[in-house]
């Protein structure tokens, strides 16, 4: 699903960028559309991960409390 945006239909949009950054990208022959898309995809993935952690915070807290009280399940079989 991570690369789903690659197969998606493209849609034109307006984006405002720092002029000197845009000039440097052009000088370096960077495809600004691809770079912007990659940056947005990364930002979306990071935000989704952040939301997932927030949505599951209670489960993490419960699990940590369980482990603190009872130890890890099958912990006696650990070699480290």
């Amino acid at each position: 699903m991570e690369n789903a945006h690659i197969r998606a239909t493209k849609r034109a949009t307006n984006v405002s960028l720092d002029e000197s950054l845009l000039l440097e990208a052009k000088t370096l022959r960077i495809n600004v559309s691809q770079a912007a898309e990659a940056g947005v995809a990364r930002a979306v993935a990071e935000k989704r991960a952040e939301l997932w952690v927030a949505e599951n915070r209670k489960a993490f807290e419960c699990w940590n409390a369980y482990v603190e009280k009872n130890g890890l399940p099958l912990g006696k079989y650990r070699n480290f």
Side-chain angles (χ1 to χ4, degrees):
M1 185 165 184
E2 203 171 58
N3 293 324
H5 67 280
I6 292 172
R7 293 182 296 280
T9 302
K10 304 283 183 169
R11 180 176 171 188
T13 187
N14 292 325
V15 178
S16 298
L17 300 172
D18 179 274
E19 189 174 349
S20 62
L21 183 61
L22 189 56
L23 180 61
E24 187 172 6
K26 190 173 184 177
T27 301
L28 296 169
R29 297 184 178 184
I30 293 172
N31 183 317
V32 175
S33 292
Q34 287 178 350
E37 186 173 4
V40 171
R42 189 170 34 257
V44 166
E46 289 171 1
K47 187 63 172 183
R48 283 185 181 198
E50 178 185 319
L51 291 172
W52 184 87
V53 168
E55 290 169 1
N56 291 283
R57 187 169 315 282
K58 182 67 177 168
F60 296 141
E61 291 170 357
C62 289
W63 174 252
N64 288 338
Y66 174 88
V67 170
E68 189 174 315
K69 180 179 178 185
N70 303 299
L72 286 172
L74 305 176
K76 63 183 177 184
Y77 300 107
R78 293 179 72 170
N79 294 328
F80 52 93

